[in-house]
């Protein structure tokens, strides 16, 4: 990856997060698109938004897709994650596990509206954070 500096990387991550959020919004009502596709994009939107907030501060994070790890890293650096994002860990199975397997029998599936809410909350929060730091 090209060296963009902390702010450049943060802006790139936010842009990618917004793209994933847009994908969730576009796919939300299309019942031909399976939950795993929608859930994957919702998870990625939240993940990239959290990473943008870390990146703008120059905080290094391990490569991976673990939202709990990212939330813990934000907490460890005294960065308050909004309450509405505390439940984002529910998207974890959609990041990888359900991309290659079906959800367990009897599972209610993905709450698509909730997935969009989480993605939108994360990108709004990251955008506001980056704006405040510019």
């Amino acid at each position: 990856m090209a060296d963009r500096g902390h702010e450049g990387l943060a802006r790139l991550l936010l842009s990618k997060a917004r793209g994933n959020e847009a994908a969730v919004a576009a796919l939300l009502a299309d019942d031909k698109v399976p939950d795993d596709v929608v859930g994957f994009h919702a998870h990625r939107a939240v993940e990239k938004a959290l990473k943008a907030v870390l990146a703008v501060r120059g905080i290094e994070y391990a490569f991976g897709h673990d939202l709990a790890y990212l939330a813990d890293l934000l907490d460890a650096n005294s960065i308050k994650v909004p309450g509405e994002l505390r439940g984002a860990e529910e998207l974890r199975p959609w990041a990888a596990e359900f991309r290659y397997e079906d959800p367990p029998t009897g599972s209610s599936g993905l709450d698509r509206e909730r997935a969009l809410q989480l993605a939108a909350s994360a990108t709004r929060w990251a955008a506001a954070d980056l704006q405040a730091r510019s």
Side-chain angles (χ1 to χ4, degrees), residues 44-118:
R44 288 299 192 262
V46 173
E47 174 191 339
K48 291 170 188 166
L50 297 178
K51 288 179 177 178
V53 172
L54 291 165
V56 77
R57 290 169 171 78
I59 300 168
E60 292 189 20
Y61 48 85
F63 181 77
H65 309 293
D66 185 346
L67 297 181
Y69 159 76
L70 294 170
D72 288 346
L73 189 56
L74 287 159
D75 285 342
N77 284 279
S78 301
I79 303 165
K80 183 166 173 38
V81 176
E84 65 265 19
L85 292 179
R86 285 295 175 185
E89 180 61 21
E90 71 194 55
L91 295 172
R92 182 196 51 72
W94 304 99
E97 183 179 333
F98 294 158
R99 288 180 63 208
Y100 303 103
E101 297 178 17
D102 288 329
T105 304
S107 169
S108 60
L110 177 69
D111 180 340
R112 291 177 176 226
E113 290 290 337
R114 170 93 171 124
L116 178 58
Q117 289 172 349
L118 288 167

Side-chain angles (χ1 to χ4, degrees), residues 5 7-9 13-15 26 32 42 47 56 60 64 71 83 93 95-96 101-102 106 109 119:
E7 186 174 338
L9 175 58
L13 289 164
L14 178 58
S15 174
K32 290 183 238 110
E47 174 191 339
V56 77
E60 292 189 20
E101 297 178 17
D102 288 329

